[in-house]
Amino acid sequence: MTTFYVTTPIYYANSLPHLGHLYTMIVADLVARSKRQQGIETFFLTGTDEHGINIERAAKLNNRTPQEQADYVVGYFKKMTAAFGLDTAHGGYDIFMRTTEPFHSEGVSELWRRAARAKTPKGRDAIYKGHYEGWFCAPCAAYKTEDEYAKPVDPEEPPTCLIHETKLDRVSEESYFFRLSDYDQALLGLYEARTDFVQPDARRNEVRSFVRDGLQDLSVSRVRSSVSWGVPVPDDPNHTMYVWFDALSNYITAVGFGNEQQERAIGFEKFWPALHVVGKDILRFHAVYWPAFLMAAGVKLPRAVVAHGMWVDPAGRKMSKTLGNTIELDVLNQYFAIDAIRYFCLREMVFGQDGRFGYENLIDRTNSDLASGLGNLSSRTLTMIQRYCEGRVPSGNISEEARLLAKRAGVDTDEASIAGSLAHARDEFLRHFESFAFSRALEEAWAIVARVDKMISEAKPWDLAKEPAQEQTLHAVLYRAAETLRWLSVLLYPVMPNAMREIYSQLGLTEDLAKLDPRQLKWAGLPEGTQIGEVKGIFPRLDKAKIMDEIKSSGPTAGQGSAPSDLQGTSPTVSKDSAGSGQHATEADAVQNKSGDGLIEITDFAKVDLRVGEVRTAARIPKADKLLLLTVDIGEEQPRQILAGIAQYYEPEQLVGRKIVVVANLKPRKLRGYESQGMLLAASVGEEGKPVIATFAEDVPNGARLK
Ligand code: MSP
């Protein structure tokens, strides 16, 4: 294998990314870095899916053209990937693919033409024109079958998407169809012949049984009058290609399929086929539809489709913008180091299964595994080398004469034993890593951390240092610890690039970790006499109470929140999940769990003291571009001071004199040094959750209670 190509899904450009999107990028980035370490020329794709009705709708809601909408989201994506070290400048993706690129429409049109000329394995036209009538979920951009929607209580109402809990649209129109039903045997043959085509195994079984149950032909176009924002069907501009046909093709058009310039710049022939990393939510598109399209067009099939599980909220629902329960990237970025987030995501989620995300867990793991674990091992080892060996890596050898003494100190004189177990752990780590069992791989690595920690604690270098006769023993112990750190830096580099570079350079080593293959590691590669670098803490301990307090008080965007990241600040919105902060979301969840049907008692509602308020003053806060500082008269002696995360949507002057609704009995909380003594209510509009402040059409006195 001389080249390798790995992709993430291309994300919808209708809303801003959250932890779920970040996770897939981390996994793909990790795979790319690991291949690059092996000297394999690697191409890593991520990007955005910019066509279709969802983008049109989001654009409309935000008063933008679809292209402006896509540009806006892409701007945020690029900022975010840079902040998380996933962009090209930080050794991450090689292309940020956008389906609105002209080379993409050329390529996807070519793919369509080839499929349209093709016969199915059963000798029929692969694409034909017909009529489609069905229930369509706009957020999924897919028609839904009966088992994929919830039937309405009122038969007049449309059914609801099980994933998004939004109403489906009835769509009936002329459409091109892809004759998927003719590809069942070919697909089953593929899964049989290439057992690693769909990974992990549980997902493979799921896909096989889906295909075995029989495939229906797939509608692959929408009439232009329904969906115009997309690639026209070649030779029939009255039809727009189905967004998934368009989107899936990005994986080949990005590297040059159907476009010479792109082919010259990157190379379809050079890099294709790719390994697709996807969430299990879109497995069917990648493991069934995509290979069938490619079979029809006579293009090589992907290397594999690897599906991970979903990050879910405390109620077990998939984290998604539509449900308003996402973990926002701005918050993660503000409070946590990139490497700690990467480590946590990979260690916590058993690949392929769903995982629950909690800030507390993230803090606990950072403190236990990173600060007290690897970080402490690194700093204690290096500090002792500094102190007892004048900052130079000592010799690891114990001479014949010194062996007895070493044994007396409880130190294994046979270096081969630690070298052997390290090599074994490395092999196991890589084996798990190759099969995407990142969590298991990290367990192996941390078993090594524990072993070396134990070695140090038992050998007690601080005591050995007091006995000149034990110098060799002391040196050997420190050498072993330092050499282990070297191995771990190389091994864990794809997981935590920054932190491992830091440890490596503190060891006094200068090679580029991005190019060191852990398979080539040999014991004793750390040269004796190496001058170590300045010893600094790698993973600072996190103050759990303080961080949790700040996160909670920074509003619903931050907890198992409800509002979008660009509203970070206090809560400007009331959403279906919560009436306020993350803290309140939790309370709401508890209420929901008790009654089981999501309904609350009137007494629960009565706990919330809602009052009419009048904005007296409004001002921006220096260095907090999302917050406005308001004083609001709610009929009390003094106006209340309230912080609202609406600065990106309202000018302060617009608000003065306005009647608003205030939650008057929220516990006060501090934000950016200001106390907020309540919360204003606003509707959350569109995918971005633009706040629209609730107000009154008639005159009402300040302080009047809302009931
Ligand atoms: N545009 C399509 C993909 C087209 S690929 C040719 C799409 N976009 S998406 O924006 O909805 O992104 C879906 C992907 O984002 C998931 O497959 C997964 O990789 C990631 N995630 C989104 N929410 C997620 C979680 N809650 N948990 C884990 N990953 C999630 O589908």
Side-chain angles (χ1 to χ4, degrees):
M1 194 197 314
T2 54
T3 66
F4 192 83
Y5 179 18
V6 60
T7 67
T8 70
I10 49 168
Y11 304 103
Y12 288 130
N14 57 347
S15 63
L16 305 181
H18 56 71
L19 171 75
H21 305 105
L22 178 72
Y23 175 68
T24 319
M25 281 193 258
I26 290 175
V27 171
D29 179 81
L30 175 80
V31 171
R33 283 180 202 264
S34 148
K35 294 291 173 190
R36 288 186 183 127
Q37 274 192 312
Q38 295 167 48
I40 297 168
E41 194 179 348
T42 301
F43 194 76
F44 166 18
L45 170 147
T46 192
T48 37
D49 183 353
E50 305 190 358
H51 288 139
I53 189 127
N54 278 330
I55 284 81
E56 270 183 286
R57 284 182 182 168
K60 218 175 188 172
L61 269 170
N62 293 307
N63 270 331
R64 299 188 179 112
T65 64
Q67 188 64 59
E68 284 167 353
Q69 170 67 24
D71 292 347
Y72 169 77
V73 172
V74 168
Y76 183 87
F77 254 100
K78 290 198 170 163
K79 219 171 70 189
M80 182 277 289
T81 47
F84 282 89
L86 296 161
D87 61 345
T88 313
H90 292 89
Y93 64 70
D94 295 288
I95 189 172
F96 191 95
M97 178 61 187
R98 302 185 57 177
T99 51
T100 48
E101 295 275 4
F103 69 76
H104 173 69
S105 30
E106 256 182 62
V108 66
S109 304
E110 173 61 17
L111 187 77
W112 179 289
R113 279 196 201 92
R114 290 202 198 176
R117 282 198 300 267
K119 295 287 180 210
T120 68
K122 295 178 185 161
R124 301 190 282 180
D125 289 338
I127 291 184
Y128 65 93
K129 211 178 206 177
H131 251 83
Y132 192 89
E133 175 156 2
W135 292 110
F136 188 80
C137 171
C140 293
Y143 287 100
K144 296 278 151 175
T145 53
E146 248 179 63
D147 56 342
E148 292 169 324
Y149 59 67
K151 294 211 180 82
V153 187
D154 173 357
E156 298 292 301
E157 287 285 306
T160 312
C161 170
L162 288 181
I163 298 173
H164 293 98
E165 298 172 15
T166 48
K167 291 195 170 32
L168 302 180
D169 297 325
R170 189 72 184 163
V171 174
S172 165
E173 59 184 34
E174 188 183 71
S175 171
Y176 283 94
F177 283 83
F178 179 78
R179 209 181 296 273
L180 188 64
S181 55
D182 275 9
Y183 287 85
D184 50 354
Q185 290 313 317
L187 287 166
L188 290 171
L190 164 68
Y191 311 138
E192 215 48 55
R194 289 170 51 185
T195 49
D196 60 353
F197 184 74
V198 182
Q199 297 177 51
D201 272 353
R203 299 281 156 241
R204 172 171 176 260
N205 296 339
E206 187 182 299
V207 168
R208 278 160 78 202
S209 73
F210 172 73
V211 175
R212 265 202 223 107
D213 285 348
L215 295 171
Q216 289 181 2
D217 292 350
L218 196 68
S219 161
V220 285
S221 77
R222 299 286 307 270
V223 285
R224 213 167 83 96
S225 51
S226 304
V227 180
S228 59
W229 181 241
V231 182
V233 167
D235 310 319
D236 193 349
N238 283 332
H239 282 260
T240 305
M241 273 184 213
Y242 172 44
V243 67
W244 273 100
F245 192 94
D246 173 349
L248 287 161
S249 311
N250 96 89
Y251 299 132
I252 55 175
T253 65
V255 287
F257 178 87
N259 179 282
E260 265 180 39
Q261 215 179 331
Q262 204 68 3
E263 166 65 28
R264 269 200 304 275
I266 301 169
F268 170 73
E269 290 303 330
K270 180 172 173 187
F271 286 108
W272 185 254
L275 176 117
H276 300 310
V277 181
V278 300
K280 69 176 187 189
D281 55 333
I282 54 173
L283 178 59
R284 189 176 294 176
F285 297 94
H286 284 80
V288 181
Y289 304 167
W290 179 225
F293 296 158
L294 292 171
M295 281 176 189
V299 177
K300 245 197 252 167
L301 304 185
R303 183 186 294 276
V305 180
V306 178
H308 62 71
M310 295 286 119
W311 288 104
V312 298
D313 68 12
R317 300 172 315 165
K318 178 188 158 188
M319 192 180 287
S320 87
K321 269 274 147 70
T322 326
L323 294 181
N325 59 353
T326 54
I327 294 294
E328 301 301 339
L329 298 183
D330 287 351
V331 179
L332 279 178
N333 196 28
Q334 185 178 344
Y335 294 100
F336 304 98
I338 302 168
D339 284 346
I341 299 168
R342 289 172 73 104
Y343 173 78
F344 175 80
C345 288
L346 297 162
R347 176 67 185 76
E348 194 75 9
M349 192 188 250
V350 174
F351 195 86
Q353 295 174 22
D354 290 349
R356 266 169 225 253
F357 185 92
Y359 288 114
E360 276 104 340
N361 296 353
L362 170 54
I363 296 170
D364 289 344
R365 271 221 182 272
T366 304
N367 285 343
S368 64
D369 298 11
L370 299 179
S372 307
L374 180 58
N376 184 48
L377 175 63
S378 167
S379 59
R380 76 198 290 215
T381 303
L382 290 164
T383 308
M384 287 191 284
I385 292 180
Q386 196 75 275
R387 193 171 299 153
Y388 307 134
C389 314
E390 288 160 2
R392 291 193 178 275
V393 172
S395 161
N397 293 330
I398 305 177
S399 61
E400 281 294 335
E401 309 82 69
R403 292 215 169 148
L404 202 60
L405 273 168
K407 274 194 184 139
R408 255 189 233 147
V411 171
D412 186 348
T413 50
D414 185 9
E415 210 180 13
S417 115
I418 184 166
S421 66
L422 193 56
H424 177 72
R426 179 262 318 267
D427 295 346
E428 285 299 289
F429 178 94
L430 294 173
R431 191 171 66 79
H432 291 309
F433 200 95
E434 287 288 310
S435 56
F436 302 93
F438 304 119
S439 180
R440 296 287 301 280
L442 291 171
E443 276 174 33
E444 289 291 343
W446 259 257
I448 288 294
V449 172
R451 181 182 165 138
V452 175
D453 253 338
K454 187 160 170 272
M455 172 189 81
I456 294 176
S457 304
E458 288 175 356
K460 300 191 185 66
W462 41 94
D463 287 345
L464 294 175
K466 291 179 200 145
E467 288 180 58
Q470 284 290 23
E471 187 179 56
Q472 285 192 28
T473 315
L474 168 70
H475 286 179
V477 168
L478 294 181
Y479 183 86
R480 289 170 193 182
E483 173 65 348
T484 305
L485 282 171
R486 183 179 76 92
W487 279 54
L488 287 172
S489 308
V490 178
L491 207 56
L492 295 172
Y493 161 78
V495 178
M496 296 184 286
N498 299 324
M500 293 311 106
R501 282 202 165 112
E502 188 57 41
I503 294 182
Y504 203 69
S505 89
Q506 290 189 27
L507 280 167
L509 300 170
T510 52
E511 298 101 315
D512 184 0
L513 277 182
K515 296 185 185 138
L516 295 186
D517 184 356
R519 287 161 185 76
Q520 308 297 330
L521 281 168
K522 298 222 164 35
W523 180 259
L526 176 61
E528 175 188 337
T530 305
Q531 174 73 54
I532 64 166
E534 191 192 339
V535 184
K536 285 185 268 177
I538 313 282
F539 303 107
R541 276 195 86 72
L542 302 179
D543 181 338
K544 188 170 172 185
K546 181 164 172 276
I547 292 182
M548 286 314 296
D549 245 24
E550 287 181 27
I551 290 179
K552 277 182 184 158
S553 63
S554 70
T557 58
Q560 306 302 338
S562 50
S565 55
D566 37 355
L567 290 182
Q568 192 195 328
T570 85
S571 166
T573 60
V574 177
S575 81
K576 51 184 170 246
D577 285 354
S578 73
S581 65
Q583 185 187 334
H584 285 78
T586 317
E587 281 165 20
D589 282 345
V591 171
Q592 192 157 354
N593 290 346
K594 251 187 261 161
S595 63
D597 53 9
L599 302 177
I600 59 167
E601 299 293 336
I602 186 82
T603 47
D604 291 321
F605 175 71
K607 286 182 195 156
V608 185
D609 185 12
L610 296 172
R611 300 281 172 166
V612 174
E614 183 178 334
V615 180
R616 290 272 183 241
T617 63
R620 293 189 182 277
I621 297 177
K623 291 195 194 138
D625 53 358
K626 293 168 185 167
L627 289 177
L628 285 186
L629 180 64
L630 312 175
T631 52
V632 184
D633 178 354
I634 61 165
E636 297 170 335
E637 230 165 74
Q638 291 283 327
R640 295 265 187 123
Q641 172 169 290
I642 293 178
L643 287 145
I646 54 174
Q648 287 170 320
Y649 298 89
Y650 284 93
E651 291 302 327
E653 306 77 61
Q654 281 175 277
L655 297 172
V656 177
R658 238 172 116 156
K659 296 273 183 180
I660 59 172
V661 179
V662 171
V663 182
N665 62 340
L666 265 188
K667 274 194 193 137
R669 48 201 170 155
K670 252 200 171 158
L671 275 170
R672 308 270 170 151
Y674 295 89
E675 186 173 86
S676 188
Q677 302 157 337
M679 185 180 86
L680 63 85
L681 294 192
S684 172
V685 177
E687 285 292 338
E688 278 169 44
K690 178 180 165 196
V692 177
I693 293 176
T695 189
F696 298 89
E698 291 149 63
D699 201 21
V700 276
N702 297 342
R705 179 144 197 211
L706 281 87
K707 299 201 263 194

